[in-house]
């Protein structure tokens, strides 16, 4: 067994970061500090422009202190004017200065206030809008797919599922890395940043209302803890987990996984098959790539096929799912097909034709 002891798992869980948050897909993402910096630069530019305008027409202004206007006085007047403070110690006295204040300084004052006050209002509005989007997303999320781990395995798994017709809005990615979550949201998936072994993180992903859960972390012990937590929160969802070591697969099934894929073993078997027959290896790789070439799908038996043998159907039947059993196409116990059966068939993938593979989870052994 490659898993650490219970004490080590407990210590690892205690050291994990509790912070977690939900991120929804956005078309344009700009950091708030960058937005504020841009607004401050714009406000500074307006202040400098106003001060230069006042200094250029300094003969039309009067300073109650010494009667003359220098560059410092121009900046002082621009500051108190744009901020609507208006002490009155420096005032426009000539007609040109007053006209400049009416048609130039006043619009600049309004622009200055819009920039500063607008930044605060935009931040508050953005927070309110984001909270509203998040609440609406949670209330509408039903029968979705949760993907724990968005590395090579998780990304390939969700791409395969989406190739069968699942919408990206129905996928929630859970990962402890903020960069990974940003990458997931940039592709149109919702993301939850946090440790998936904690129930509050999975609850943020609405895992209790999910139809299927893909567990693909980097470590086998993490996969076990995630599977245990997910199965505790959702008794009916289909859970598919990936492990590196084949000897850990039974533990994943005991933890509640419906299916366990050994990534290293599957890759090794495909390599061995390709050595024996490169053509067979190409066919197998084609079968596991949904949406192109040949696809391996699961579908219900249609009424026209009931009463026939698997060989008499139009599609190439590989197996028949009957109750709790998965039978080979040539199993004599099949007899004829029943309306309650499901077929695992090989079909030619056509653009725009999607077959949803998740109508009901396969029963666990």
């Amino acid at each position: 067994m490659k898993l650490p002891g219970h004490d080590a798992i407990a210590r690892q869980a205690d050291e994990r970061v509790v912070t977690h948050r939900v991120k929804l897909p956005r078309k344009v993402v700009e950091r708030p500090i960058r937005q504020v910096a841009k607004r401050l630069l714009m406000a500074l530019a307006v202040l400098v422009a106003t001060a230069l305008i006042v200094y250029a027409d300094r003969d039309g202004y009067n300073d109650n202190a010494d009667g003359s206007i220098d560059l410092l006085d121009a900046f002082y007047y621009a500051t108190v004017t744009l901020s609507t403070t208006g002490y009155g110690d420096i005032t426009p006295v000539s007609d040109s200065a007053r006209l400049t204040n009416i048609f130039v300084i006043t619009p600049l004052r309004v622009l200055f206030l819009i920039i500063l006050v607008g930044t605060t209002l935009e931040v508050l509005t953005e927070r309110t809008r984001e909270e509203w989007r998040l609440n609406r997303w949670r209330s509408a999320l039903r029968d979705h797919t949760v993907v724990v781990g968005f590395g090579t395995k998780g990304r390939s798994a969700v791409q395969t599922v989406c190739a069968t017709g699942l919408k990206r809005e129905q996928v929630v990615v859970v990962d402890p890395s903020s960069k990974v979550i940003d990458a997931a949201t940039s592709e149109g998936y919702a993301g939850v940043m946090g440790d998936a072994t904690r129930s509050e993180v999975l609850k943020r992903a609405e895992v209790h209302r999910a139809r299927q859960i893909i567990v693909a972390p980097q470590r086998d012990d993490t996969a076990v803890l995630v599977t245990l937590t997910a199965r505790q929160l959702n008794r009916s969802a289909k859970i598919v987990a990936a492990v590196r070591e084949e000897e850990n697969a039974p533990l994943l099934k005991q933890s509640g996984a419906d299916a366990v894929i050994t990534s290293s073993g599957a890759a090794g078997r495909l390599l061995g098959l390709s050595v024996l027959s490169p053509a067979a290896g190409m066919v197998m790789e084609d079968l596991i790539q949904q949406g192109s070439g040949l696809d391996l799908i699961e579908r219900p038996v249609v009424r026209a096929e009931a009463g026939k043998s698997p060989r008499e159907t139009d599609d190439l039947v590989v197996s028949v799912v009957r109750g709790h059993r998965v039978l080979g196409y040539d199993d004599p116990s099949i007899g004829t097909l029943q309306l309650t059966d499901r077929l695992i068939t090989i079909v030619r993938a056509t653009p725009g034709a999607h077959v949803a593979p998740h109508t009901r989870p396969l029963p666990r052994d």
Side-chain angles (χ1 to χ4, degrees), residues 111-266:
L111 179 61
F112 186 82
L113 293 176
I114 289 176
I115 292 174
L116 294 186
V117 178
T119 301
T120 304
L121 292 177
E122 183 175 349
V123 171
L124 294 176
T125 303
E126 181 64 24
R127 288 181 179 177
T128 303
R129 185 186 302 114
E130 191 67 20
E131 188 67 23
W132 179 77
R133 285 186 64 206
L134 187 57
N135 291 334
R136 187 179 64 173
W137 170 77
R138 284 175 175 168
S139 61
L141 198 61
R142 295 287 190 283
D143 295 333
H144 57 290
T145 299
V146 176
V147 182
V148 178
F150 201 62
T152 303
K153 293 180 291 186
R155 189 187 300 267
S156 300
V158 72
Q159 288 175 351
T160 300
V161 175
C162 289
T164 64
L166 183 68
K167 296 181 180 179
R168 293 178 183 266
E169 295 80 6
Q170 287 293 105
V171 176
V172 182
V173 175
V174 182
D175 199 279
S177 172
S178 60
K179 293 183 179 179
V180 171
I181 294 299
D182 289 339
T185 54
S186 66
E187 295 183 21
Y189 310 115
V192 177
M193 187 183 72
D195 183 4
T197 61
R198 297 183 177 271
S199 58
E200 60 266 25
V201 175
L202 292 181
K203 288 179 180 178
R204 287 292 186 102
E206 303 295 322
V207 74
H208 53 284
R209 297 189 294 190
R211 179 188 293 270
Q212 48 200 10
I213 304 169
I214 299 173
V215 182
Q218 298 297 324
R219 295 169 55 94
D220 287 1
D221 57 334
T222 303
V224 172
L225 292 174
V226 172
T227 303
L228 282 169
T229 307
R231 180 55 72 193
Q232 183 181 16
L233 295 175
N234 192 327
R235 296 292 181 181
S236 60
K238 180 193 294 183
I239 300 181
V240 179
V243 292
R244 293 178 178 271
E245 302 295 335
E246 192 166 359
E247 61 185 17
N248 293 330
L251 184 57
L252 262 295
K253 290 188 177 181
Q254 294 176 8
S255 301
D258 295 287
V260 180
I261 305 300
T262 306
S263 57
S264 57

Side-chain angles (χ1 to χ4, degrees), residues 31-80:
R31 294 180 178 178
I33 190 172
R34 183 175 298 177
Q35 295 181 6
V36 173
K38 289 171 58 177
R39 298 296 179 88
L40 289 177
L41 290 176
M42 293 171 61
L44 181 62
V46 172
L47 178 63
V48 172
T50 304
L52 294 178
I53 292 173
V54 173
Y55 184 73
D57 194 22
R58 56 188 177 276
D59 294 335
Y61 290 80
N62 178 55
D63 188 354
N64 294 335
D66 54 11
S68 62
I69 302 295
D70 56 15
L71 186 59
L72 178 60
D73 293 331
F75 272 95
Y76 168 75
Y77 176 77
T79 302
V80 298

